[in-house]
Amino acid sequence: MPTHRRPTYDTLPGRRPGVDEAEAALVEHYPRLVRLAYLTLPPALGRHRRVLAAHAVVQRVLPRSRKGDAPSPVPGQRGTATAAFSWTRERVVRDALARDSRPRSLRAFVSRRLPRLPAVAGLRLFPRAGGSDELALDQALFAVGSPARAALALGVLEGMTAAEIRALLTAAGVRDAAGALRTAERLVSERGGRVEALLGAPEFDPCTVQTRPTDLIRRRHRTRLAGAAAVLVALAGSVLLAMPDHDGTESATVADGAESPSLARALDPALLERANGDAWSDTSRVDFSVWPARGARTGDTALLERALRVWGGPGPDVRVSATTGTGTVPPAQPPRLLYAGEVGGAAVVLLHDGQRVARYAEPLSGGGAPALDLARTDDADVTTAAAVVVSRGPDGVRYLLAPWVAESTTRDLLAPGTPAADLDVSRDGVTGPVPTPPPSGEDCTSWPVMRLRSSERIVERHAFLVTDLGDLSPVHLTYTPLPGTGAPARQPREATGGAALASWARTACSLGSLRGSGVRAVNNWAFAEQKLPETGARSTWVCTRADSWRGPGRIMVQFQQPAPSPVEPGTVVAEDRDTASCSRFGQHVLAGTHWRAPSGTWYLLAAGSRDVTRITASGGVRADEPAGTLAVRAPRDSSVELTGRLADGKELPAVR
């Protein structure tokens, strides 16, 4: 499990060092020890309490005796320093493991609530928030026990071997040290060796923290009511002593749900992350993490608190929806505020927790129920994080645009020759209504899209198309043109040119079948061109690939022959789900179909991508063509199996 080895320290100390030796080791390695304690302590403490507890654990490990178990060796001897650090590290792990977020005795209850150094009044401390990878690791650490977290930190950050970790954990009182080590090794293997870099990030550094005030209004109320509270507590205590015992199930449920320290921290509106207004123009990561908080109600604490509480535990009257593959659990840490304002007759709050966008909406009048919508947005970029739906109504969809969008227009994919129309955008970045594409099964007479252009502060005049498929984030549309003769393989490009618009004009209406399925991007790949028999006209083979936020994709292969109308849909000849075909991980494709010539004769047509050098047909029709396309006479209902051969000699089955 260790990714490196620090060859300086023994596994376990052979003796207890004196206070001077221990203090020297503690001061020299203080940041390492505090990070080790922070990772081992229960995440349920919340980041503020865990930061203070980590510092307290390390500062209280010094032995009381000035002398150790044996006479001190010569000052400065290396073995003394290593033994002192090893003993200190073992005490830090032991004390951090012994810390429980739920005290089991009155003495522990009182001692943990008495002022103990270090203590902070009026401020909340927490490490700097990381990205989606750090958030995912933090959530994984939350799900395992303290021994496993300690084993992970000791193996990855301290470079200890498995035997050394087991010995230290056993000495610290862990009963199943081997099980904790196995869990830690699983966490490392799941992240492909990136755990060391993630654990070394500011997300897990309790020595580099940010500060925020506590709830100022609540603090003022507490000050005013301190005397009355003391009287009420005394009175309540006397009443509780006089009450008979019961199982306390209801109160336990409320305490565990509403008052959980980690959940309370994540749902505290005072701790919401807010990016600087120009952060997007001075970073290499252009996504939701650099969106500033916008809207007229970003300072409405009551609205923000309602939105967070609904996300933390929606009641039965709340309409909750989530795109495919999106979890509805509360955020693990305070999310980022993207927007809070009034749009379409509702108060709307948009939040982002590193992996999901949450939209909370409550009617401004009429007494309707609030709604919570969730959608995955992990690994979003300049295009897929360019807009979020803020409202849907009879007049269309309104979006909140990313701060880097400098220009926005609308166009109809079924009218490729019609110029784009300007789109109104408010000062807060909210667009005017954009017409909604028709649902699947209805007459497809238009397909509205937004054409957005990024600011030149991050990229030179980069324009792209997005369209609504019913989710919170619109879908990015791209296009890959026909392969050029002798040219390298083409890469997907923005669907803004003439050839791209012409291709999407014949494909757009097929997008309706993808509605509400969590699609991130759709690419139209014109992978082959074929001369038709008898007529000599040229047809195009297109593979349309839809990638989801979850990862799996689905494809649809179309045969587009010359048509009198530029928007006539192509013929769908094959489909497949959960496949890598037609992507950079599946760059070869082969498909075929039966086609009737104007003379009435039926043919079997087939075509492969650029690396297909031979196509073979077997079954009801037998043919072998040493080329990337095939056209032979065949009965309309003949059953045929197609196989392609690639330039490297490998076989390629056809998409069915």
Side-chain angles (χ1 to χ4, degrees), residues 166-544:
R166 283 195 298 269
L168 190 152
L169 293 179
T170 301
V174 176
R175 294 183 177 179
D176 186 13
L181 186 60
R182 287 193 299 270
T183 301
E185 291 173 340
R186 175 178 56 80
L187 291 174
V188 171
S189 63
E190 287 176 349
R191 280 151 184 83
R194 299 188 61 245
V195 176
E196 182 176 7
L198 295 175
L199 290 182
E203 173 85 13
F204 303 103
D205 183 7
C207 291
T208 304
V209 297
Q210 300 181 90
T211 61
R212 290 283 175 84
T214 56
D215 193 322
L216 300 179
I217 297 177
R218 185 183 302 172
R219 196 165 71 197
R220 182 174 61 185
H221 289 170
R222 287 175 176 174
T223 302
R224 291 177 178 177
L225 300 176
V231 174
L232 290 175
V233 169
L235 179 60
S238 63
V239 172
L240 288 174
L241 290 174
M243 290 179 63
D245 290 339
H246 59 84
D247 60 7
T249 303
E250 181 178 356
S251 61
T253 302
V254 174
D256 291 344
E259 300 301 331
S260 167
S262 59
L263 183 59
R265 176 180 59 84
L267 304 182
D268 187 347
L271 299 181
L272 283 172
E273 298 286 344
R274 299 172 188 246
N276 295 328
D278 292 332
W280 60 270
S281 63
D282 191 25
T283 179
S284 60
R285 178 176 175 176
V286 184
D287 57 15
F288 289 109
S289 66
V290 293
W291 273 39
R294 290 173 288 174
R297 299 184 67 172
T298 55
D300 189 338
T301 304
L303 173 63
L304 300 179
E305 184 172 11
R306 289 195 298 273
L308 289 166
R309 288 297 173 185
V310 166
W311 193 357
D317 60 333
V318 178
R319 181 189 61 80
V320 180
S321 66
T323 57
T324 304
T326 303
T328 59
V329 298
Q333 62 182 17
R336 184 175 302 278
L337 177 61
L338 306 182
Y339 178 82
E342 298 179 2
V343 182
V348 178
V349 178
L350 293 177
L351 302 165
H352 181 248
D353 71 346
Q355 294 186 316
R356 298 169 296 172
V357 165
R359 175 185 177 271
Y360 170 81
E362 60 181 30
L364 295 175
S365 60
L372 177 68
D373 302 312
L374 296 158
R376 284 185 64 167
T377 56
D378 42 325
D379 294 328
D381 56 24
V382 65
T383 56
T384 51
V388 174
V389 173
V390 288
S391 74
R392 294 183 181 274
D395 56 349
V397 182
R398 297 177 187 267
Y399 297 91
L400 178 67
L401 299 182
W404 56 81
V405 174
E407 180 182 296
S408 55
T409 56
T410 61
R411 67 176 310 128
D412 185 358
L413 284 183
L414 299 189
T418 304
D422 292 337
L423 178 62
D424 293 334
V425 181
S426 70
R427 295 182 59 183
D428 289 334
V430 178
T431 71
V434 178
T436 304
S440 179
E442 294 189 6
D443 290 341
C444 184
T445 58
S446 68
W447 196 278
V449 295
M450 284 195 299
R451 182 184 186 275
L452 307 177
R453 182 177 65 80
S454 300
S455 169
E456 295 184 9
R457 294 169 64 179
I458 60 172
V459 65
E460 293 185 4
R461 301 193 65 80
H462 172 223
F464 52 95
L465 298 184
V466 295
T467 189
D468 174 49
L469 287 183
D471 295 328
L472 277 181
S473 56
V475 176
H476 180 208
L477 301 182
T478 56
Y479 171 71
T480 304
L482 286 164
T485 304
R490 304 290 182 90
Q491 299 299 318
R493 59 193 62 185
E494 302 303 345
T496 54
L501 293 174
S503 177
W504 272 109
R506 304 191 64 178
T507 313
C509 290
S510 65
L511 291 172
S513 62
L514 303 174
R515 186 178 301 275
S517 58
V519 175
R520 171 179 181 163
V522 184
N523 180 56
N524 248 15
W525 175 27
F527 66 87
E529 189 177 50
Q530 182 176 24
K531 182 182 294 186
L532 296 175
E534 297 186 11
T535 67
R538 293 194 171 273
S539 61
T540 304
W541 294 80
V542 178
C543 183
T544 302

Side-chain angles (χ1 to χ4, degrees), residues 43-58:
L45 290 173
R47 289 196 297 173
H48 170 74
R49 290 176 60 197
R50 191 152 57 125
V51 166
L52 296 181
H55 287 272
V57 165
V58 175

Side-chain angles (χ1 to χ4, degrees), residues 525-589:
W525 175 27
F527 66 87
E529 189 177 50
Q530 182 176 24
K531 182 182 294 186
L532 296 175
E534 297 186 11
T535 67
R538 293 194 171 273
S539 61
T540 304
W541 294 80
V542 178
C543 183
T544 302
R545 177 178 177 86
D547 285 311
S548 69
W549 288 99
R550 298 176 293 116
R554 54 186 290 188
I555 64 170
M556 175 187 68
V557 180
Q558 288 189 70
F559 172 67
Q560 296 179 351
Q561 59 179 313
S565 170
V567 298
E568 181 174 323
T571 301
V572 177
V573 300
E575 291 183 282
D576 199 3
R577 294 175 178 266
D578 298 333
T579 176
S581 296
C582 303
S583 73
R584 62 192 180 107
F585 301 110
Q587 301 179 10
H588 312 299
V589 63

